[in-house]
Amino acid sequence: MYSFEIESPVSVADAVAALGKEEAQALGGGQTLIPSLKARLAAPAVLVSLSKIDEIKGISAADGVLSIGGGATHASVAAEAGAYPALAALAANIGDPAVRNRGTIGGSLANNDPAACYPAAALASGATIVTNTREIAADDYFEGMFTTALEDGEIVTEVRFPIPEKAAYVKFEQPASRFALVGVFVAKYPDGVRVAVTGASEEGVFRWEEAEAALSGNFSASALDGLSLPAEGMMGDLHAAPDYRAHLVGVMTRRAVTAAQ
Amino acid sequence: MTKVTMTVNGKAVSKEVSGNTLMTEFLRDALHLTGTHVGCDTSQCGACVIHVDGKSVKACTMFAAEAEGAEVVTIEGMANPDGSLSVIQQAFQDHHGLQCGFCTPGMVMTAAKLLEENPSPSEHEIRDYLEGNICRCTGYHNIVKAIMAASGQDVSGIAAE
Ligand SMILES: Cc1cc2nc3c(=O)[nH]c(=O)nc-3n(C[C@H](O)[C@H](O)[C@H](O)COP(=O)(O)OP(=O)(O)OC[C@H]3O[C@@H](n4cnc5c(N)ncnc54)[C@H](O)[C@@H]3O)c2cc1C
Ligand code: FES
Ligand code: FES
């Protein structure tokens, strides 16, 4: 690792001030950032640890919306997001217990790994990503692999999830990393169904609109008969070729719809 | 350099660390507690699992500066106060839950948290919870058996394979 200083502010205001310094970067749970620092893929002068900021760790449900602080760990979401069971189950299946005790929802959404789980939940739920300066609709937030609408120094302070009538997340695990080889989050709201796919596209997380239209009319796996996605634009690697990933999207979507019943 | 103060296995410690000092380096190099092993250094293998404020974490993926004020427990803190092995450690010995022993500290630290959360886990639950702990000698069978035994379950019917 290159050398850097660590600061541990206890309020969002102090963190924002610290992030205003030259070459400063936020440190969430470090489960992604520390490995990249070791590989010298990042060279911050100052790391601003968010883990001592209690005001961004809360989880609460009110008026049909579940609000999760950007610094909440996967383990706390798994334990405390009971108002939105599909989301709690997603968090409970990220990585392993030690990763879940450190990794945070804010870090996952800021990183926007093309195989991460939370981006699918946020997009399928039409969540709002709240930062220290503004509120961003999930539809405007994800801008492709490892790219989001966040500006330099902007902190994810909260994520607001409208609670659906029915929902499920099903991931086909990449057995070595436990990330999603393909993961699909399906959420049914009074005004329609949203389907978000992670792990598949070269553009990162995306909504499968044909499936949404079919499921909004008839929320059952059979509504998806005959629907499929082209292999073009899907990621390909030694674990899965593009056509296999495209196929898995269909299978995972059907399983998610069935699991959500 | 910054000064960090924390409790490690019940003792207060205070040391100067760099921003990029990992908990594994702090424990092994500064405190000479070499029971916390470094297998992969990329948060995959779990040989470095310790408890920080009661939660299992991978010490290779946490900075020492982040443990300011924390209560840390390592494998050196797991034996009973009189020096005899804890129930989990004894079960690993009794059921041959280790071969080379490299993964064992992390296995014991993870198992301790599992049994706190779930005092009587099934074999499936144990294997699922150990997802982040890799045994290169692939001795999982006896590790699972040792953890089941430590939880007070009868393992006499489970054959050693
Ligand atoms: C073994 C292993 C298995 C894993 N399995 C999965 C899995 O199955 N599914 C999955 O989705 N993920 C998985 N992960 C990734 C894990 O969920 C990470 O915790 C997560 O991607 C990053 O969160 P973090 O809090 O650790 O962020 P960090 O690593 O600290 O930071 C990541 C990036 O986000 C920025 N950042 C952090 N917090 C904020 C914030 N609040 N606001 C703005 N920017 C911020 C940082 O500057 C950095 O650029 C796995 C990781 C490991 C090591
Ligand atoms: S050394 Fe920390 S997980 Fe392998
Ligand atoms: S006993 Fe050798 S790595 Fe597990």
Side-chain angles (χ1 to χ4, degrees):
Chain A
M1 274 182 277
Y2 295 110
S3 61
F4 48 78
E5 295 299 319
I6 294 193
E7 294 192 15
S8 300
V10 294
S11 72
V12 171
D14 288 349
V16 170
L19 285 168
K21 292 181 192 163
E22 198 82 3
E23 311 277 347
Q25 185 172 3
L27 172 67
Q31 301 302 295
T32 297
L33 184 52
I34 295 177
S36 3
L37 290 166
K38 288 179 181 175
R40 294 196 163 183
L41 296 172
V46 182
L47 275 189
V48 181
S49 165
L50 307 179
S51 60
K52 298 264 193 293
I53 309 179
D54 288 338
E55 64 185 290
I56 59 167
K57 291 185 187 170
I59 299 175
S60 62
D63 303 325
V65 175
L66 177 71
S67 301
I68 301 180
T73 60
H74 309 328
S76 9
V77 175
E80 296 167 40
Y84 191 164
L87 191 67
L90 173 149
N93 277 305
I94 292 176
D96 55 61
V99 167
R100 294 195 287 273
N101 282 336
R102 295 292 300 167
T104 65
I105 187 170
S108 177
L109 291 176
N111 194 47
N112 193 18
D113 187 298
C117 301
Y118 271 125
L123 193 56
S125 308
T128 302
I129 288 93
V130 183
T131 75
N132 54 305
T133 56
R134 58 190 168 137
E135 297 184 1
I136 312 169
D139 284 317
D140 303 324
Y141 176 85
F142 300 103
E143 297 186 341
M145 255 190 211
F146 298 111
T147 316
T148 69
L150 292 177
E151 306 281 350
D152 272 355
E154 198 171 359
I155 300 175
V156 175
T157 53
E158 189 175 83
V159 190
R160 297 191 191 130
F161 293 89
I163 300 169
E165 295 169 344
K166 293 176 177 177
Y169 175 65
V170 176
K171 76 169 161 178
F172 190 96
E173 268 176 27
Q174 204 271 55
S177 76
R178 297 198 93 191
F179 272 88
L181 195 60
V182 166
V184 177
F185 201 109
V186 172
K188 179 177 186 293
Y189 289 91
D191 57 352
V193 174
R194 290 171 67 109
V195 178
V197 180
T198 188
S201 167
E202 288 179 335
E203 307 289 315
V205 68
F206 70 97
R207 282 172 67 186
W208 185 11
E209 283 163 13
E210 291 82 5
E212 292 182 349
L215 291 168
S216 294
N218 169 17
F219 193 65
S220 72
S222 61
L224 299 166
D225 287 349
L227 281 189
S228 64
L229 281 167
E232 197 181 316
M234 294 290 164
M235 294 189 283
D237 53 31
L238 82 165
H239 306 290
D243 57 341
Y244 180 52
R245 276 197 163 82
H247 174 73
L248 276 180
V249 175
V251 176
M252 293 302 119
T253 308
R254 285 175 181 80
R255 286 189 191 167
V257 172
T258 304
Q261 299 301 325
Chain B
M1 301 288 272
T2 35
K3 190 170 188 172
V4 290
T5 302
M6 65 186 89
T7 311
V8 179
N9 300 329
K11 283 193 207 113
V13 294
S14 202
K15 295 261 175 199
E16 293 280 320
V17 296
S18 308
N20 65 7
T21 302
L22 297 164
M23 269 312 271
T24 39
E25 297 167 333
F26 182 72
L27 293 168
R28 294 178 56 85
D29 303 340
L31 303 183
H32 306 296
L33 293 172
T34 52
T36 299
H37 289 170
V38 182
C40 64
D41 204 24
T42 56
S43 42
Q44 303 295 321
C45 76
C48 65
V49 170
I50 58 170
H51 301 163
V52 177
D53 288 332
K55 297 195 167 115
S56 56
V57 306
K58 290 176 177 172
C60 73
T61 310
M62 175 175 184
F63 294 115
E66 293 181 280
E68 171 64 33
E71 294 244 355
V72 175
V73 179
T74 69
I75 188 69
E76 288 88 348
M78 293 305 277
N80 298 321
D82 67 0
S84 61
L85 296 180
S86 69
V87 171
I88 295 173
Q89 289 171 314
Q90 189 61 52
F92 270 70
Q93 187 180 79
D94 293 346
H95 298 278
H96 200 55
L98 59 149
Q99 291 173 55
C100 77
F102 194 84
C103 68
T104 314
M107 290 287 178
V108 169
M109 298 311 281
T110 301
K113 283 296 141 191
L114 166 64
L115 296 185
E116 253 176 58
E117 289 168 25
N118 183 355
S120 191
S122 66
E123 175 178 347
H124 175 80
E125 285 168 337
I126 295 172
R127 289 185 187 270
D128 188 59
Y129 203 90
L130 291 180
E131 199 75 38
N133 290 80
I134 293 172
C135 176
R136 273 294 143 219
C137 301
T138 70
Y140 296 102
H141 187 83
N142 283 353
I143 292 169
V144 173
K145 193 172 168 185
I147 297 172
M148 286 192 101
S151 72
Q153 300 183 71
D154 178 15
V155 293
S156 55
I158 302 178
E161 277 163 19

